[in-house]
Amino acid sequence: MAIDTQTTTDGPRTAAPEHHRLSGRARLVLFVLCAAQFMVALDFSVLNVALPVLGEDLGLGRSALQWAITAFALPSGGFLLLFGRIADLYGRKKLFLTGLALFGAASLLATLAWDPASFLTGRALQGLGAAVIVPTGMSLLTTTFPEGPLRDRALGISGTLLSLGFTVGMVLGGVMTDTLGWRSTMGLLTVAAVIVLVMAPGLLPESRTTERPRLDVPGAVTVTGGLLALIYALSTAARRGFGDLDVRGTLVLGLVLLVAFVVVESRSPAPLVSLPMLKRRTVAWGNVGGLVTFSMMSTVVFVLTLYLQETLELSSFRTGLVFGVQGLASVVAGSYAPKVIGRFGARRTLVGSLLGQGVLGAALLGVGPQSGALLATVAVSLASMCHLGAIISYGLVVTSGVPDEQQGLATGLVTTTQQVGITIGIPMLGVLATTQASLFDGVRTVLAVDAVIVLAAAVLVGLGLGGRRKA
């Protein structure tokens, strides 16, 4: 599939038009990889609206319901780097198929769960399967489609479906729970995993590094432990607050382990993460942009859901329509983003997308306690288009110029940023929404903080990626 295309993240790219088209087989490969990513994104949100019904059915108390989400988020975010590196060493296709099988079996367990323990075990195993699927799927994509217009297009479709999966999950979860029951949401994931698992073996190429260095066990232990502790602390803070002793202790433990990870990597002969790679401006600042766009957009969707249903008292169906429009906007953005990147370059697109997302987030401050559904629909849809541009461009910024043998590492960083961003945004700012005098005041506070963070990140990323010197 090699093409004669020159790619840069600094400015426009040009290539012969005939090289922009995907072959029939390439389309099938892309379908399989994107379907897997969509399935994982769907799992992040499809269960949210079903939690009250699920809790009543399984006897899961209100205070324990958050574990239905946290049990998935902990392993899915904590093990990404480790599995991304294992895939580099022992084969990405092989590990991808293993992750699909685990995800499908875990989804079946969650579907058939007979008590809280069996359900939460299924959710945790789903998260572990996702931690395998996401980095291996992304590295298979970036090694299958070479740098240039083809990879731009492939990442554009993948990014669109990733963003769309989160939105569709919220709408679909409500419809399926009302009509078929909460178990149907987990059953859907089981069927999706089986379909992808059947198609993948005959389509995907095997890829791995030619070298076989030892796995960095101390690095794997410290980074996985640090991410697990950090995600646990931030997820638990949404329920208990940051003043809780357990939250503080786990947060400190996570930070200490991540600092230890940096020290370990600086001395390891075969590090899990190459510190020189992290020193590349494209890798460091690209991931900052990705972390901000994911964490802040997921937060906006969360607080707008509260605003539309509890402040404006819209029905679940009408709220779903708002996010349905947002999903359609994401699809449109996904089709145009590669063309924008081809004209302006990935770096400029990333900065511009963050600026647009921040400005439109600030526009949401215009919603009122009695009206604002139309403004919310328009602003969040346009913000999602900018968010989609940021998703695609930051993935290109981080992975462009990285050798094939390190693509698993680079995409592991990209996908870790995605998963951690989705996981930490709501816990960090959700506390602000629930501790104000009224929910509406809390929503406005979160929207204001969100806009400031995104706009500040746009400026910092722009400065960090500025200049024409190769990072």
Side-chain angles (χ1 to χ4, degrees):
M1 287 185 64
I3 59 172
D4 184 19
T5 302
Q6 186 175 8
T7 302
T8 173
T9 60
D10 290 315
R13 279 90 45 91
T14 57
E18 60 268 20
H19 294 323
H20 293 201
R21 296 182 179 179
L22 295 171
S23 67
R25 183 178 179 83
R27 290 175 186 271
L28 289 174
V29 170
L30 184 59
F31 171 81
V32 167
L33 295 175
C34 288
Q37 302 285 347
F38 180 83
M39 176 181 69
V40 173
L42 196 69
D43 200 9
F44 260 101
S45 59
V46 72
L47 199 62
N48 286 355
V49 295
L51 288 179
V53 178
L54 180 155
E56 183 178 348
D57 184 32
L58 291 180
L60 204 61
R62 182 182 296 272
S63 62
L65 278 180
Q66 60 98 18
W67 278 103
I69 306 301
T70 303
F72 177 86
L74 280 170
S76 67
F79 288 95
L80 280 167
L81 275 177
L82 175 60
F83 284 126
R85 187 54 174 161
I86 290 175
D88 280 345
L89 300 179
Y90 300 108
R92 293 159 186 149
K93 175 182 176 180
K94 185 188 304 180
L95 205 62
F96 180 75
L97 296 177
T98 302
L100 282 172
L102 175 59
F103 188 91
S107 298
L108 180 60
L109 175 59
T111 303
L112 302 176
W114 54 92
D115 60 15
S118 59
F119 174 73
L120 294 178
T121 299
R123 289 292 287 164
L125 291 174
Q126 276 184 323
L128 195 63
V132 178
I133 293 169
V134 173
T136 53
M138 185 66 76
S139 58
L140 280 169
L141 188 150
T142 55
T143 54
T144 300
F145 299 92
E147 289 189 30
L150 284 182
R151 184 184 292 181
D152 291 3
R153 187 176 177 187
L155 284 173
I157 295 171
S158 177
T160 300
L161 290 177
L162 184 67
S163 178
L164 188 61
F166 187 82
T167 304
V168 168
M170 296 181 65
V171 179
L172 195 59
V175 173
M176 294 184 71
T177 299
D178 286 344
T179 57
L180 300 173
W182 71 266
R183 294 178 188 272
S184 65
T185 63
M186 297 292 97
L188 174 66
L189 298 172
T190 306
V191 173
V194 170
I195 292 173
V196 177
L197 187 58
V198 168
M199 295 183 63
L203 289 171
L204 299 180
E206 183 57 279
S207 66
R208 69 184 76 188
T209 60
T210 55
E211 301 177 0
R212 299 299 294 272
R214 292 183 305 170
L215 183 64
D216 175 21
V217 176
V221 171
T222 51
V223 72
T224 301
L227 287 172
L228 286 172
L230 190 63
I231 293 169
Y232 170 83
L234 292 172
S235 298
T236 307
R239 181 167 53 92
R240 300 184 187 174
F242 285 99
D244 183 82
L245 184 61
D246 182 38
V247 172
R248 289 182 181 180
T250 312
L251 188 60
V252 170
L253 175 62
L255 294 174
V256 168
L257 285 172
L258 291 178
V259 170
F261 169 68
V262 174
V263 174
V264 167
E265 297 305 276
S266 67
R267 300 176 181 178
S268 174
L272 183 67
V273 172
S274 169
L275 293 183
M277 176 181 285
L278 288 177
K279 292 178 182 177
R280 293 169 62 103
R281 290 188 301 164
T282 51
V283 173
W285 288 106
N287 276 300
V288 168
L291 182 68
V292 169
T293 193
F294 270 102
S295 60
M296 295 300 102
M297 197 65 217
S298 62
T299 302
V300 166
V301 170
F302 174 73
V303 297
L304 282 183
T305 302
L306 296 178
Y307 165 73
L308 293 171
Q309 290 188 324
E310 299 190 26
T311 301
L312 297 187
E313 299 182 346
L314 296 187
S315 65
S316 298
F317 175 74
R318 292 182 65 187
T319 302
L321 288 179
V322 171
F323 293 110
V325 173
Q326 179 199 18
L328 291 175
S330 296
V331 172
V332 172
S335 65
Y336 282 98
K339 298 176 183 178
V340 175
I341 292 170
R343 180 179 181 121
F344 298 103
R347 297 187 188 193
R348 294 188 181 96
T349 303
L350 174 58
V351 175
S353 296
L354 288 172
L355 283 172
Q357 183 178 331
V359 169
L360 289 161
L364 284 167
L365 291 170
V367 298
Q370 279 82 41
S371 62
L374 179 60
L375 173 60
T377 303
V378 173
V380 78
S381 298
L382 294 177
S384 290
M385 297 180 76
C386 295
H387 169 61
L388 213 291
I391 291 175
I392 299 169
S393 54
Y394 106 85
L396 286 170
V397 167
V398 173
T399 59
S400 294
V402 177
D404 277 358
E405 62 270 16
Q406 293 184 334
Q407 279 294 331
L409 173 59
T411 55
L413 290 172
V414 170
T415 51
T416 296
T417 296
Q418 292 175 356
Q419 304 291 76
V420 172
I422 291 173
T423 303
I424 68 174
I426 295 172
M428 280 197 310
L429 296 185
V431 175
L432 294 177
T434 57
T435 55
Q436 300 294 308
S438 70
L439 176 62
F440 178 69
D441 290 338
V443 167
R444 282 181 55 85
T445 300
V446 170
L447 291 174
V449 173
D450 182 285
V452 169
I453 291 175
V454 177
L455 290 172
V459 173
L460 292 174
V461 171
L463 292 174
L465 292 177
R468 306 289 294 185
R469 182 175 58 84
K470 292 289 184 186

